[in-house]
Amino acid sequence: MPPSTRLPLGIILCGLLYLMMSSAPRGPSDPLVDLEDAGADNATVPKVVNWCRPEECASGRWEPRQPAFTSLDQFQQAYANRLDVLWKGCSAIPDPSGGPKKVSTKGSVDEVRLMQVMNWTWTPYTGELRHWDAEEFMVRLLRSPGGLILIGDSITQQHYHALGYLLNQANLDFDRNPAHLPMHDHKNVRQMLLKPHDALTRRVLERAGVPESRLERPVVTMLEEHMLIGQRDIRAITERLGASKDYYWYHDFQRVPEWEKYVADAVRPRLEEEGSVTEDSILLMNAGAHWSRHELAMLPPRATDREEQARVKETYKQMMKLVIGRVSPIDRLSVFYRSTAPGHPACEQSASPYYDDIAAREAEKGANITPRLKAQVDGDVKQQRARWDWDLFEVHNELWRRAIGGLRRDRAWRRSRTGMMRGARWYYLDLWDVNLQRPDAHSEPGIDCLHWCLPSVLNEWTLHLYHNLFLQSISTDDD
């Protein structure tokens, strides 16, 4: 063939090869980069979404809501809820002219303050959080035998209430603690089941592709369990650290005895559902503010606060060891340990979030927490405040972060060596900076700077959990 003929033919072949390669379907190289529909007006141009990784989602700042609420009517329309009582407001901030003595504002509701608290949006520095979709969240829960189980103290219970409101706001309706359920009459167990004949229930059931029998069990459960372990375990741990065997137990920690067995039964696969109810059930867990010298009064005094807090830290580590040992063998379970949220001494002095994480960490240094708590009171009460040990919250969080990192590395090693993937998967849900930047969002400024005004930051906890579950669903890895 003459050279003048070979050259055009080569060009034609190269062109055909290029067209074949460019038209072939291609997925994103990074599973955390996704495509979303840009909307009806521009449906042919998808939006590229760079989803934040968990550690990225937790690093950001609170930015003014766009558009901002400028009236109570706007706020009430945005949070309208036909199935629940509309949020009424946050407790009013005490009048500073009243002097140093704080007067409880419980029952004194400030609707404008709630609007101001809700006028902020968490924005990660890197990547995006997935937009909340209550129905998609419910589909995920239906596809697991036990749904979502929250366990913790009164702050976890606040989260449960805020989550219930979010779900009701999407018109998802529930039966609560029906008599056929185990522990239906236990005062510290709250179980939510989708109403079986509700039209929206039928829709999410069809989307989930699961049998009718799944509606007979909870999709969301709250276990109020303050310490995660009971009196016998606490005595055994503290007696090894010097506590008296004759210590009089006056504590009224709320408990669900043998909660691990309840969880194991809730998440076990059912024979008739094995083809469709295949996702992990979710345990969202926290053991926070009660692990302090104030509550562990059986620990004998030591010469310094540092020595006493070292004992508290050791009891906490022993509790973690027990809980991890009891929960880890449970199959088909994803455990998210939610970081304990900080308290903010003198939160009544803050009317807005900190500018960013740097400003928050500088103002809320651990070394400053106890002096600021003590400065609010007089006399013997100062030492009582010190024994709240709010400065240990971040210390205890770090213990969980490291422990869970080790559990994940161990699971990966076992999978690589043996192919085995048995037992619970552990995740650390880091919300410390999210909460640290919100001294303005507490429930009763001047009196209670530990609990939160509902729903405020608690909604953000749900959004971060939802995002993490989404990342699970698109991950190509076991974890």
Side-chain angles (χ1 to χ4, degrees):
M1 183 180 294
S4 61
T5 306
R6 286 200 303 266
L7 182 60
L9 182 60
I11 293 173
I12 292 170
L13 289 173
C14 289
L16 287 172
L17 181 61
Y18 171 79
L19 288 172
M20 291 172 61
M21 291 179 65
S22 62
S23 63
R26 290 178 295 175
S29 58
D30 187 337
L32 297 190
V33 177
D34 199 2
L35 300 179
E36 281 196 345
D37 192 340
D41 294 336
N42 196 18
T44 59
V45 184
K47 174 188 175 185
V48 178
V49 181
N50 179 28
W51 304 115
C52 57
R53 292 169 171 79
E55 64 277 8
E56 294 170 338
C57 302
S59 179
R61 64 187 295 265
W62 290 90
E63 296 185 345
R65 185 182 188 275
Q66 298 295 337
F69 295 127
T70 58
S71 71
L72 285 173
D73 284 343
Q74 289 177 355
F75 170 79
Q76 290 169 351
Q77 288 174 17
Y79 284 87
N81 193 329
R82 71 176 183 85
L83 297 172
D84 209 337
V85 178
L86 183 69
W87 299 120
K88 294 297 185 184
C90 301
S91 292
I93 296 177
D95 183 354
S97 65
K101 183 176 176 59
K102 304 293 191 303
V103 178
S104 176
T105 56
K106 191 176 290 297
S108 175
V109 173
D110 187 337
E111 293 177 335
V112 175
R113 181 174 171 246
L114 175 59
M115 184 183 73
Q116 293 169 342
V117 165
M118 299 302 294
N119 246 339
W120 299 89
T121 303
W122 177 256
T123 306
Y125 292 131
T126 304
E128 295 184 29
L129 282 160
R130 187 164 178 79
H131 182 71
W132 167 250
D133 183 329
E135 289 187 34
E136 183 178 87
F137 182 66
M138 191 53 56
V139 165
R140 170 62 180 83
L141 300 187
L142 283 170
R143 287 175 176 166
S144 66
L148 169 64
I149 302 171
L150 300 91
I151 183 166
D153 57 19
S154 55
I155 296 177
T156 297
Q157 191 166 201
Q158 284 193 305
H159 183 202
Y160 166 77
H161 289 310
L163 170 61
Y165 190 97
L166 266 183
L167 297 175
N168 283 159
Q169 196 177 356
N171 291 321
L172 290 159
D173 204 359
F174 301 94
D175 291 320
R176 299 171 190 267
N177 282 9
H180 74 272
L181 292 180
M183 307 186 87
H184 67 90
D185 55 351
H186 194 294
K187 71 184 182 75
N188 294 329
V189 178
R190 297 163 186 83
Q191 302 170 93
M192 296 167 53
L193 293 74
L194 284 166
K195 284 186 177 294
H197 303 299
D198 183 81
L200 188 51
T201 294
R202 308 314 302 178
R203 188 165 83 198
V204 295
L205 186 71
E206 184 177 358
R207 279 185 62 183
V210 300
E212 193 85 12
S213 59
R214 180 61 189 86
L215 297 179
E216 298 171 4
R217 301 191 308 280
V219 284
V220 179
T221 302
M222 170 68 206
L223 307 177
E224 189 177 2
E225 167 66 56
H226 287 183
M227 305 293 278
L228 299 186
I229 59 175
Q231 178 183 162
R232 179 181 298 178
D233 289 329
I234 294 173
R235 281 189 180 276
I237 293 170
T238 56
E239 285 171 11
R240 291 196 294 269
L241 295 171
S244 170
K245 293 182 182 295
D246 298 324
Y247 174 79
Y248 175 72
W249 190 270
Y250 66 89
H251 306 276
D252 187 28
F253 299 132
Q254 298 302 302
R255 291 228 62 215
V256 180
E258 297 188 323
W259 61 265
E260 303 94 339
K261 292 183 179 179
Y262 174 93
V263 170
D265 182 66
V267 309
R268 65 178 174 82
R270 272 58 174 183
L271 184 62
E272 67 276 15
E273 300 173 352
E274 285 191 345
S276 55
V277 185
T278 56
E279 298 282 358
D280 278 4
S281 302
I282 305 144
L283 180 64
L284 182 60
M285 182 170 63
N286 177 263
H290 290 278
W291 285 88
S292 66
R293 287 175 291 167
H294 178 74
E295 300 289 4
L296 298 174
M298 70 288 293
L299 289 171
R302 288 294 180 263
T304 65
D305 287 342
R306 178 175 293 183
E307 290 178 83
E308 291 180 353
Q309 286 190 325
R311 297 289 179 106
V312 173
K313 180 180 176 181
E314 183 58 32
T315 63
Y316 196 85
K317 290 167 66 176
Q318 294 302 315
M319 174 274 292
M320 289 175 55
K321 186 175 180 179
L322 289 175
V323 171
I324 290 170
R326 292 167 182 171
V327 172
S328 287
I330 302 175
D331 288 329
R332 301 274 296 276
L333 180 66
S334 286
V335 184
F336 287 84
Y337 183 83
R338 174 186 59 78
S339 60
T340 297
H344 294 87
C347 64
E348 69 275 12
Q349 298 174 10
S350 298
S352 61
Y354 286 113
Y355 177 76
D356 58 15
D357 56 327
I358 297 173
R361 286 186 174 274
E362 179 62 28
E364 303 291 339
K365 286 180 181 177
N368 297 338
I369 298 298
T370 299
R372 289 165 62 206
L373 279 172
K374 293 167 72 172
Q376 295 181 291
V377 292
D378 300 318
D380 294 339
V381 183
K382 287 183 179 291
Q383 190 54 29
Q384 292 179 24
R385 289 289 177 93
R387 294 175 67 83
W388 287 356
D389 289 331
W390 285 8
D391 51 335
L392 286 183
F393 292 175
E394 193 170 15
V395 173
H396 293 163
N397 284 341
E398 186 60 25
L399 292 177
W400 277 108
R401 185 198 301 275
R402 292 180 181 179
I404 289 171
L407 290 166
R408 291 176 61 80
R409 287 190 296 272
D410 180 63
R411 182 182 177 89
W413 181 87
R414 284 187 286 111
R415 185 180 67 238
S416 66
R417 294 298 181 93
T418 68
M420 292 180 61
M421 296 181 288
R422 300 294 301 274
R425 311 168 199 245
W426 287 84
Y427 302 87
Y428 182 71
L429 188 61
D430 185 2
L431 297 169
W432 179 261
D433 277 348
V434 175
N435 300 314
L436 190 69
Q437 295 180 42
R438 292 306 304 270
D440 61 305
H442 286 286
S443 62
E444 197 176 1
I447 302 297
D448 184 350
C449 291
L450 188 61
H451 292 80
W452 300 97
C453 172
L454 274 70
S456 65
V457 300
L458 303 162
N459 278 353
E460 201 63 42
W461 300 1
T462 297
L463 301 188
H464 279 251
L465 175 65
Y466 172 66
H467 182 83
N468 274 262
L469 293 174
F470 167 70
L471 296 185
Q472 268 190 353
S473 72
I474 64 173
S475 174
T476 57
D477 194 2
D478 170 52
D479 285 324

